[in-house]
Structures are given as structure tokens and as C-alpha cells.
Amino acid sequence: MKFFVDTADIKEIRELHDLGLVDGVTTNPSLILKSGGNITDVTKEICSIVEGPVSAEVVATEYGQMIKEAEVLAKIADNICIKVPLTLDGLKACRTIRTSMNRLVNVTLCFSANQALLAAKAGATFISPFVGRIDDTGSDGMELIAEIRQIYDNYDFPTEILTASVRTVNHVKQAALIGADVVTAPPATLKALVSHPLTDKGLAQFLADWAKTGQKIA
Ligand code: G3P
């Protein structure tokens, strides 16, 4: 399973990259706003740190303008993955960006299995179902991941399931159990994967006993 980090915070990306935990990055207009930087500058810097796909989102809603924006974003770096919304114009842009521009596409804001089916048929590289936002409505976001997994496997669609709007470590575990290809999570959630109280307790005990031996390893 690939780990993408869902942020435009350079410091966080650098830290997770140094830990070997970043296979890619996802950004969106809200995350660019949060970063306080200019989309081109911020995205270029992220691409200089991370070798894997870095999703940068178009903000146009009409096909022709989406393609113009995609061309600008694609020039930022070779590992830019163009993010388009799950609309008819977005799906049309997805097909063009994949076939004529030969670039990676992440189709975002997916909330149903049929939407994911359309994205796969449009040749999307990644589909981004937003599990946390589905949970917010009282439904189970992970059910959608399982449905998409089944549909993509039924027809051997190569589109990768990029579990997004991840809020908890349990989302990561469930996505992995279902067989999602990628999870994109905020830095704090990725770092929280390591935590277990029994690890902390066990380590404290080992260190206390070791101190009593009076020995040194190095
Ligand atoms: O990956 C999509 C993400 O940025 C949205 O997350 O928590 O705003 O639903 P959230």
C-alpha cells in the first residue's frame, strides 16, 4: 500500500519524507490556502522533495479552461498528477489529460461507486473517495472503498483507489484490509500509526532494567 501525505506544508512533507513514509503528496485548493503560499511555488518545492506523484488540482469547472490549467500545472514538474473534480467536464478533461498530454490524473471528490466506475472508464490514474466526509453524513465511508475495490477487480480496471479524507488511524487499517492501493492522510495521522501504549510501556521497562545492569552497548 502506498502512503501519500495530504498536505502542502513543506516542513511536514520533508519530515515524513526523511522517515521514508511518503510515496506521493496530495494537495487541493483548501490545503494551498492553509499553506499560505503561491500554488506554483509551493507545488514546485514539494516536487523537488518527493519523487512520487504530487497531485495539484485545477479550479476551473469548464472543460476547456480545465485543460488550460492542467497544461500550466503540468509544466511545474514531471511528477505532477493533475487533479480534476468528478463532474462530466472533469471526466472529459481526465480522458484528454491521460491520452493527449500523457499525464497522471487524480479524479477527486468521489462519493459513490458509480462515480468511481465513470472515473475508471475515463482512464483515471487514481480515484479519490472521501471516506471521512461520508462518515460525517452518518454513512460508512469504508463501504464505498469495498464497493469500488470489487468493481475495479471485476473488470480489471487499472485505476488505483486513493483513499482520501482520512481522519483516523482506523481509516488507514480498514483501507489496507480492503485492499485500497493508496491512502492519503494528514501528517499527524501518518505519524500516529506508530503509536501503541504497550510499545511505550514495554520500552520504558526495558530501559529501566537496562539501566540497572550498568552496561553500555556503544
Ligand atoms: O484528501 C482529501 C482531503 O484533503 C479532504 O479531507 O478532512 O477535508 O475531508 P477533509
Side-chain angles (χ1 to χ4, degrees):
M1 177 188 238
K2 285 176 260 190
F3 281 179
F4 289 1
V5 59
D6 195 31
T7 187
D9 183 319
I10 301 293
K11 197 167 152 271
E12 295 274 22
I13 292 169
R14 237 182 248 290
E15 184 190 348
L16 286 162
H17 177 261
D18 291 349
L19 288 167
L21 287 177
V22 180
D23 299 308
V25 173
T26 50
T27 68
N28 60 39
S30 306
L31 292 172
I32 295 293
L33 172 69
K34 206 170 159 192
S35 78
N38 165 277
I39 183 169
T40 308
D41 299 341
V42 171
T43 311
K44 191 177 273 183
E45 192 165 359
I46 296 172
C47 290
S48 74
I49 301 166
V50 176
E51 284 171 24
V54 174
S55 289
E57 188 162 342
V58 301
V59 289
T61 54
E62 181 272 322
Y63 166 78
Q65 193 58 28
M66 279 182 186
I67 296 301
K68 281 187 193 154
E69 291 184 358
E71 283 166 352
V72 172
L73 294 172
K75 284 195 188 110
I76 293 175
D78 288 343
N79 55 334
I80 285 286
C81 172
I82 308 294
K83 208 169 177 187
V84 298
L86 217 159
T87 60
L88 289 176
D89 283 63
L91 292 169
K92 188 176 171 188
C94 172
R95 180 163 297 287
T96 302
I97 297 164
R98 291 293 291 137
T99 54
S100 305
M101 292 171 60
N102 194 26
R103 298 299 296 247
L104 306 180
V105 179
N106 176 357
V107 178
T108 191
L109 291 167
C110 172
F111 293 93
S112 80
N114 282 334
Q115 288 181 322
L117 178 57
L118 287 174
K121 288 182 70 65
T125 316
F126 301 105
I127 181 68
S128 288
F130 277 31
V131 294
R133 292 191 193 186
I134 292 175
D135 288 357
D136 289 344
T137 67
S139 297
D140 182 356
M142 282 301 154
E143 280 179 12
L144 176 58
I145 301 299
E147 286 176 357
I148 300 171
R149 181 72 284 155
Q150 186 178 335
I151 290 168
Y152 283 8
D153 288 350
N154 284 349
Y155 298 98
D156 284 333
F157 282 122
T159 300
E160 295 188 35
I161 303 173
L162 196 172
T163 309
S165 183
V166 161
R167 309 263 177 81
T168 67
V169 291
N170 220 27
H171 278 148
V172 178
K173 181 176 85 172
Q174 292 301 325
L177 285 169
I178 292 166
D181 303 280
V182 191
V183 75
T184 189
T189 308
L190 286 178
K191 283 189 250 177
L193 292 173
V194 77
S195 300
H196 197 289
L198 292 180
T199 304
D200 298 340
K201 192 177 167 197
L203 182 60
Q205 181 68 58
F206 286 155
L207 294 180
D209 289 345
W210 182 250
K212 286 180 203 157
T213 70
Q215 298 177 43
K216 273 193 172 170
I217 294 176

